[in-house]
Structure formats: structure tokens, C-alpha cells
Amino acid sequence: MPVGGLVPHAADDAADLIVRNAKIYTGDSGRPHAGALAIRDGLVTAVGDDAEVAPFVGPATTVVDALGRRVIPGLNDAHLHVIRGGLNYVLELRWDGVPTLRQALAMLREQAARTPKGQWVRVVGGWSAEQFAERRLPTPAELNAAAPDTPVFVLHLYQSAILNRAALRAVGYTKETPDPRGGQIVRGRSGEPNGMLLAAPSALILYSTLAKAPTLEGEDKKTSTQHFLRELNRFGLTSAIDAAGGFQNFPDNYGTVTELARDGQLTLRIAYHLFPQTAGQELDDLARWIEMVRPEDGDEWLRLNGAGENLTWAAADFENFAQPRPELSGGYEAGFEKAVRLLMGHGWGFRLHATYDETIRRDLAVFEKLAAEGLFPAGNRWLFDHAETVSPDSLDRVAALGGAMSVQNRMSFQGEVFARRYGLGAAAEAPPVRAMLARGLTVGAGTDATRVSSYNPWVALHWLISGRTLGGVALRPPQNRVDRETALAMYTRAGAALTGEDEVKGILREGFFGDLAILSDDYFTVREGDIPHIESLLTVVGGRVVHAVAEYEGMAEEIPAVSPEWSPVAHFGGHWATGGADRSGVRQAELLGEAAAESELHWQWRVQRGLADGGRPEPYDPCFVL
């Protein structure tokens, strides 16, 4: 972009990219604010005002005028299933941010019409019934009407999936199909499946059914991953920690990102974990991987960060809040201890999926036993993920053992169902973010996308700051919320610390990676309710422009077109483009809806405490009193 007043100099230290006329929040306590910065060879080389940075303008320097907009360090999702998500992205119809079920079903109907025979329409994560104006799920009948012949699979959180008749035929579910362990195939009076699958409490039935759908092959996997990374860049993400997960085998499913990294085509920095896939084989897998790779193998674009988020299947709890808390098998500690001992002895860090304090306490007891042998704290990075019901005592023990925490906004999607099961008091502390920070723990923030939460980081940041669910209900009180600066640090510096990169990433300072985003709205001053609508107008990773819209259109590197041509992403894109929050009188109706929802929860709270008898009071309107 030509900028008047800046004269190029033939300097040896000329920058590759300069951003000027900006409101830069650097995240650096030594200089938190600046007006311009320069990037050379992927690193920040100067931070200051326009005059201080002007000498670094050379004949080949790209100068970007931020037009007074807010600039922040690139965001880092500390728990994202980016590798698995990328392999499937172009096959999925995204309902993230879609405001009504009517609109969602219209998208599904249109996509079914263009989907070729043998392929499915699949909606996999990123939405909740609470986001819709109708406040409900689609029914099997609605899916049948929208797509009578094309298989349709719609996943809702960790709780359920809805299939049409064509999908039931495609997966072979009939009257004779038995319910799998931990799951339920809902049936009609005739005994035939009606299209509903329930996690009871395990989500394995949902994911194993989804695994029967067609997958991408060859170059399509590469193109899908590239477009998913660009979608993440769209929201200002420049880094992510891949938490591995079920149906993500190493090294097979890591081949696509490895190829992109080798060819210099990644637009997101990825630190990945390895997750044993087969129960009973976990120790063998871990031992084999220890011989193959080491933590921090790779470079700043793709590197191994450790094991997890499961080490052994027996030690993993479930997070389906529509079902009672699962009781883990007695005696899982023996195998779990062997896995932890193996990793710690070879310098491997790890992360652990643990939703409930009951699980965390049992795991900590194993760590404390090993601490007596000097294995904790031993410099290996390890952390608990999720931890919605972790207790103060457990947090103290985590701190003593040198651990960290990673929290996700799963409650913004599942908060209402959690509150109905465990009460408003428990929901107010799920998870206790401020208590974690008060103990000096490193607390990274992320989404746990893509099968449940949306990958949009601004939805997660809004939840940290406001405590509100997608349905607008404020579950978390002010004492368990964080301010905007703290939330941003959890999404930048903390994520870098969890991968041991806090000396090169997470802030904008000389010598650090040139990763940044120019935002559509000022994160620090925009109305709280508008935070989820923020997007990046220009995203830079290592000095490379990887996303550019509005005035910066055309500056980003080109990638292949979406394939196959019938892909939902080719027609609808990814996350629903809201175009900014509605600042009109419609906001009054939104506030009324939020008040009604909060009133309902308050009534349930009164009933639970014996302050009301459970019967609804008669509505009172003085206009009708005689």
C-alpha cells in the first residue's frame, strides 16, 4: 500500500514488512503500546512510532497502513484439533454462528441438492441449540425432508447426533443393531432406529458413526488443510497447539501437515501431541514413539510438544454433561503410572484430558508418588486440560508439582445443561479460571474445536470476559471472569509458555516472531457483546501476509481453490460471516431474551434451595386486575 511521507532507503537492514499508523498492543510490559513495527526475516526488528520505524523502509519493503486500527500479537489456541479438523474441513457444513435453525436447515437443504451420490452432508461441531432463535435441535423428520436421498449426519456437542433415513441406511443401523457400550441408538415403537444417537455417556457411538462417512484422498486432504488454516488466520490465529484426539493416528494422519511444513506452505504454527489410539496398546505406542521422535523436534512451524491428551484410555473421563459423571474403573492407576513414568524418564511432557476433580485427584496421587523419586517437578512441561470442576486443593497440588492448566470455552456451548445437572453454584466456577491464575499457574486458553466448540477464538475470549453462553446466559459471576488484557495474555503468552516458546512468541518485541493481526474492531474498547464478531483484516505470520480482506484485499499468498467443487466450504465458507454485531434496536429484543433465560435459571436456583415449591406463580399484570 503506497503511503505518503515514507521515503525508501537503500539500507542493509531494510524491513520486509512494516505496519504503521496503528494502535499496537504489544503484550510486552516494557513497552505495551506502539504505533508501528518492522519485520525482517520473520522476526520483529523494530517497535516504536512511525518516525522510529521509517528508517527501515527499503525499496522492497511492503508498508501496511493500519488506518488507526488495533493491532495485537497473533492469537494462539492452546487446545485445538487442527490436524484432524484440517483433514475434514472442506467436507463439513459449518453452522458456527448461524443465528436460526431455519437458516441452518435451509443451508443443509441447499447443500444436499449439490452433494453427489455416495457422499454425505455432515455438520460436525461449532454450534449449539442455544445459539438458535428457536432454542432447539433439528428433528430427524426435518433432516428427512431437507435431504430425502442424501445421507445427513448432524453432531450436537458430546451429547447426540441426528441422522436422516439415508444416513441410517448408509451406516447399516437396523432393528437388529445392538446398542454399543456407552451409547444408545434411539428407536421407535417398531424397534427401528429413528435417527437419534445418544452418548450415554460415551461419545464413541457418535464418532464411530461419523468415521463411516467417506473421507478425502490425495491432494484434496492437502487443499482442505490449507483452507482450514486460512480460516483460522481469518480470525487472527497464527499458532495452535494440536491436542491430538481419537481417530488421529501417528504418523499416518500427520502426513499432510508434515508435507505442507516441508514445502513452506503452513500458515499457522503447530505444536502437536501424540495420542495412543488403541486401549491396551498405549504403553507400546508411547515406547515406540519415544524411539521415533523427541519433544521439540521440528522447527517454529511444526514441532512435537509431547503426549496426550490421553495417555491411557482407562484414565480418561467423559464430558457429556447431559449424563451423570462417569465413574472411572478402579485400579487404572497402575497402567497410568507406567505411562507417566516412561514419559518423564525420557524428557517428554504431556497433557491430560480431565473434566472432573475426581479424575484430577486420582492422577495427582500418581504424580505425588513419582515426585518422591524426583520425577516431579523435573522440567518436563505437563498440564491438565478442561478441569471444569477442579478444586482449590487440587490446584495447589498442581502448582506444587510444576504443572499448568489449559481451559476452553466448552461451557459457552454446554453451560445450560451443566447448570441443570450440577446447579448454578458449580456452573459459576466451571472452570475456576481466576483461582488458577491466583496461584501463579500458567493458564492457556483455547476452544477444543472442532467437534464441539467453534474454532472462532473471539467466541472463547468473549466467554472468558463476560461469562456468557452462546444463549446469552451469564453463568460465571464477575469474580470468576477476567479482564480483556488477561484474556488476551491467556491466548498469546500463555500458549507460547505451554510449548516452551515464550522467549520467541506471544508478544511483539524485537527478536520475537513477526506474528500479528490487524483487527476489524478495537478489542479493548468495543462493546463486550461485540467481541465475538471481531475478525482479522490482515494476519501476518513470520512476516508473511496469510490473510487479507477489505483495504488489504489481494495481499495474501494464493492457495488452490476449494476442492471438491461441491464442498460446503466452496459455497458457504466456514464460520458464519456476521458482518459485525447488530447495533440497532434489535439489541433490545436480545436483552429481553437474555433476561428471560436468566430468570428461568434463577427460578431453578430458588427451587433447588427450597425457596420456592416448584410450582409456577400465576402471571400478574395489573392491567387486567378488576
Side-chain angles (χ1 to χ4, degrees):
M1 178 178 294
V3 180
L6 290 181
V7 180
H9 301 276
D12 292 337
D13 58 352
D16 299 317
L17 178 75
I18 281 178
V19 177
R20 66 172 295 272
N21 189 21
K23 291 188 293 186
I24 301 174
Y25 174 77
T26 67
D28 180 3
S29 59
R31 185 167 192 171
H33 303 285
L37 59 77
I39 299 171
R40 177 183 171 86
D41 294 332
L43 302 178
V44 176
T45 56
V47 179
D49 57 26
D50 280 5
E52 291 173 289
V53 172
F56 297 96
V57 178
T61 301
T62 298
V63 179
V64 174
D65 189 335
L67 301 174
R69 293 189 175 104
R70 175 63 66 188
V71 176
I72 62 168
L75 299 178
N76 184 349
D77 191 318
H79 186 123
L80 177 65
H81 297 279
V82 59
I83 293 174
R84 186 178 66 197
L87 294 176
N88 298 282
Y89 176 63
V90 300
L91 293 176
E92 296 172 352
L93 175 64
R94 306 300 307 181
W95 282 355
D96 310 49
V98 176
T100 69
L101 178 57
R102 180 179 180 180
Q103 177 68 46
L105 288 170
M107 294 167 66
L108 192 150
R109 184 179 301 107
E110 182 181 340
Q111 181 57 39
R114 70 167 61 92
T115 300
K117 186 176 181 180
Q119 293 290 341
W120 294 21
V121 177
R122 61 198 91 183
V123 180
V124 185
W127 66 283
S128 166
E130 300 297 334
Q131 82 189 43
F132 293 143
E134 297 89 340
R135 290 293 200 274
R136 68 173 180 85
L137 301 175
T139 65
E142 287 171 320
L143 299 192
N144 289 327
D149 302 313
T150 303
V152 174
F153 176 98
V154 176
L155 178 70
H156 184 241
L157 309 177
Y158 297 107
Q159 299 172 15
S160 60
I162 309 130
L163 284 69
N164 67 350
R165 292 191 193 96
L168 289 172
R169 289 193 297 270
V171 299
Y173 290 166
T174 67
K175 187 175 182 178
E176 287 71 36
T177 305
D179 287 344
R181 183 178 179 181
Q184 181 184 355
I185 301 172
V186 181
R187 306 167 194 274
R189 291 183 180 180
S190 66
E192 294 290 345
N194 72 357
M196 291 294 299
L197 305 180
L198 299 181
S202 170
L204 183 60
I205 183 177
L206 312 180
Y207 300 150
S208 61
T209 302
L210 176 61
K212 298 176 186 291
T215 57
L216 294 170
E217 299 293 339
E219 283 296 306
D220 282 343
K221 292 194 295 185
K222 184 177 176 181
T223 302
S224 178
T225 297
Q226 287 179 286
H227 279 275
F228 185 47
L229 299 186
R230 285 298 182 92
E231 174 75 352
L232 299 175
N233 298 148
R234 167 190 167 194
F235 295 101
L237 279 163
T238 59
S239 292
I241 309 177
D242 185 87
F247 301 92
Q248 184 171 311
N249 292 293
F250 180 82
D252 301 347
N253 295 132
Y254 292 70
T256 298
V257 291
T258 301
E259 181 182 350
L260 289 170
R262 185 182 63 242
D263 296 340
Q265 294 179 328
L266 287 180
T267 61
L268 188 85
R269 305 183 192 274
I270 301 173
Y272 63 88
H273 286 253
L274 302 184
F275 182 127
Q277 297 293 307
T278 306
Q281 189 180 304
E282 299 97 330
L283 287 174
D284 291 337
D285 285 341
L286 292 173
R288 178 165 49 87
W289 295 337
I290 284 171
E291 297 299 320
M292 295 172 60
V293 288
R294 296 177 300 173
E296 300 182 8
D297 273 359
D299 57 22
E300 68 267 25
W301 288 97
L302 183 66
R303 66 208 307 261
L304 173 65
N305 198 49
E309 56 185 296
N310 277 1
L311 303 185
T312 62
W313 281 94
D317 59 22
F318 301 110
E319 57 278 29
N320 179 5
F321 301 130
Q323 295 285 332
R325 178 181 63 83
E327 295 291 340
L328 299 185
S329 61
Y332 79 71
E333 285 86 350
F336 179 70
E337 178 184 332
K338 291 179 181 178
V340 176
R341 184 184 297 276
L342 177 66
L343 294 169
M344 296 297 284
H346 286 83
W348 278 55
F350 58 86
R351 66 192 309 156
L352 290 171
H353 171 109
T355 301
Y356 302 101
D357 191 54
E358 289 80 358
T359 306
I360 293 171
R361 290 201 306 266
R362 291 177 67 175
D363 291 352
L364 288 170
V366 172
F367 301 161
E368 287 162 346
K369 176 182 176 181
L370 297 178
E373 303 176 25
L375 292 178
F376 284 85
N380 301 30
R381 292 186 301 274
W382 69 273
L383 61 95
F384 279 114
D385 276 306
H386 314 312
E388 274 84 1
T389 70
V390 65
S391 66
D393 176 68
S394 292
L395 291 176
D396 291 336
R397 295 164 70 187
V398 171
L401 291 167
M405 307 298 296
S406 177
V407 299
Q408 299 77 42
N409 63 312
R410 305 192 307 177
M411 291 292 286
S412 65
F413 288 80
Q414 303 182 87
E416 287 87 351
V417 67
F418 183 97
R420 286 193 289 271
R421 179 164 296 280
Y422 297 107
L424 293 177
E429 296 292 324
V433 176
R434 289 282 287 271
M436 296 173 183
L437 294 169
R439 286 161 173 78
L441 291 166
T442 297
V443 185
T447 58
D448 198 13
T450 60
R451 287 187 170 177
V452 174
S453 302
S454 172
Y455 49 75
N456 184 343
W458 299 103
V459 174
L461 284 160
H462 176 257
W463 169 78
L464 285 167
I465 295 160
S466 71
R468 291 186 181 275
T469 68
L470 261 63
V473 179
L475 290 179
R476 295 166 57 245
Q479 58 267 30
N480 195 33
R481 304 175 196 167
V482 298
D483 60 49
R484 300 188 191 202
E485 189 170 4
T486 300
L488 186 59
M490 293 169 66
Y491 240 100
T492 51
R493 295 200 305 269
L498 293 181
T499 57
E501 297 175 283
D502 44 329
E503 294 300 319
V504 293
K505 187 165 70 173
I507 63 176
L508 295 172
R509 177 197 289 172
E510 289 87 348
F512 278 60
F513 292 155
D515 302 348
L516 60 86
I518 301 177
L519 303 183
S520 59
D521 296 279
D522 190 338
Y523 165 69
F524 290 104
T525 61
V526 73
R527 187 177 67 87
E528 186 178 272
D530 289 348
I531 292 174
H533 303 281
I534 294 174
E535 295 188 17
S536 175
L537 300 180
L538 185 92
T539 304
V540 175
V541 189
R544 295 163 49 199
V545 177
V546 297
H547 169 75
V549 294
E551 292 88 354
Y552 313 110
E553 188 77 41
M555 291 184 65
E557 303 168 354
E558 292 186 3
I559 59 174
V562 174
S563 61
E565 292 183 359
W566 54 266
S567 162
V569 173
H571 297 269
F572 298 110
H575 192 288
W576 182 260
T578 61
D582 188 346
R583 296 177 174 85
S584 69
V586 172
R587 181 59 184 156
Q588 182 178 10
E590 292 176 351
L591 290 171
L592 286 172
E594 292 169 7
E598 291 186 30
S599 175
E600 171 64 23
L601 285 174
H602 179 67
W603 175 257
Q604 295 174 10
W605 181 88
R606 289 175 56 81
V607 171
Q608 290 169 5
R609 286 157 179 76
L611 301 176
D613 61 9
R616 285 292 184 188
E618 290 295 324
Y620 173 75
D621 187 333
C623 293
F624 292 92
V625 175
L626 298 178

